[in-house]
Amino acid sequence: MRPAVFFDRDGVLNEDDGYAFEPSKIRWIKGAPEAVRAVNQSGYLAFVVTNQSGIARGFYGEHQVHALHEWMAAQLADVGARIDEFAYCPHHPEGTVTEYRQTCSCRKPQPGMINELSKRHSVDIHRSIMIGDKQSDLEAASAAGVTGHMFRGPDLKEFVAPLLKQLPRIR
């Protein structure tokens, strides 16, 4: 079992400009690619867990989320970083798209995305952390048994570096 760092996406890896789905409009948070690379180099798995209610609201489709995540993965690869898996929740109880209008276990603050990734990748929950920018991120982490950390900017690499020093080393 390996520990992981779970990242929220909007507001942690990229600026939260509201309903982001177009690569041309994505602005990385300062130090984000380097923070992901540092997590990789520490031997931790790196995951993204993101609520994407824009799908339920009809602003964009799942294929656009997949395309954005592929673009982000390619951008990260250019600096020697990788996300081991992107997970997203397309649901919202007030969505306008019927198939996505629901209450679910994957929408943060519920822990569903973290739990599923943990099972699929044999994650050591007790040595893992979540980095988010909203209380719902920390609540999801807590519900999954993961220690949550609130990121308020401005530089993700500077935020992550001391956390990695506190985490147990991977052998």
Side-chain angles (χ1 to χ4, degrees), residues 44-83:
Y44 281 67
L45 295 165
F47 298 116
V48 170
V49 290
T50 178
N51 287 344
Q52 291 300 308
S53 70
I55 297 168
R57 297 173 193 278
F59 298 154
Y60 49 86
E62 286 193 71
H63 66 283
Q64 289 164 304
V65 172
H66 289 283
L68 177 59
H69 290 166
E70 288 173 15
W71 177 85
M72 291 177 84
Q75 293 284 302
L76 290 168
D78 286 347
V79 298
R82 79 175 180 290
I83 295 295

Side-chain angles (χ1 to χ4, degrees), residues 71 77 142 164:
W71 177 85
S142 178
L164 291 175

Side-chain angles (χ1 to χ4, degrees), residues 53-124:
S53 70
I55 297 168
R57 297 173 193 278
F59 298 154
Y60 49 86
E62 286 193 71
H63 66 283
Q64 289 164 304
V65 172
H66 289 283
L68 177 59
H69 290 166
E70 288 173 15
W71 177 85
M72 291 177 84
Q75 293 284 302
L76 290 168
D78 286 347
V79 298
R82 79 175 180 290
I83 295 295
D84 292 289
E85 188 173 339
F86 289 85
Y88 66 92
C89 172
H91 308 114
H92 193 279
E94 298 170 10
T96 57
V97 179
T98 304
E99 67 183 290
Y100 299 114
R101 185 185 321 123
Q102 60 181 281
T103 301
C104 63
S105 64
C106 59
R107 181 172 177 76
K108 294 178 289 179
Q110 299 302 313
M113 288 185 283
I114 296 170
N115 290 340
E116 285 302 313
L117 288 167
S118 296
K119 288 178 197 167
R120 196 165 35 253
H121 293 275
S122 298
V123 170
D124 182 344

Side-chain angles (χ1 to χ4, degrees), residues 102-169:
Q102 60 181 281
T103 301
C104 63
S105 64
C106 59
R107 181 172 177 76
K108 294 178 289 179
Q110 299 302 313
M113 288 185 283
I114 296 170
N115 290 340
E116 285 302 313
L117 288 167
S118 296
K119 288 178 197 167
R120 196 165 35 253
H121 293 275
S122 298
V123 170
D124 182 344
I125 283 294
H126 304 292
R127 294 192 302 159
S128 298
I129 64 171
M130 167 85 191
I131 300 172
D133 67 324
K134 294 182 178 67
Q135 188 60 36
S136 59
D137 298 321
L138 302 188
E139 290 173 22
S142 178
V146 172
T147 302
H149 297 274
M150 183 72 76
F151 174 69
R152 298 202 187 278
D155 188 312
L156 188 60
K157 182 183 178 196
E158 288 181 8
F159 182 82
V160 167
L163 294 176
L164 291 175
K165 288 180 182 173
Q166 296 170 13
L167 295 173
R169 285 284 173 229

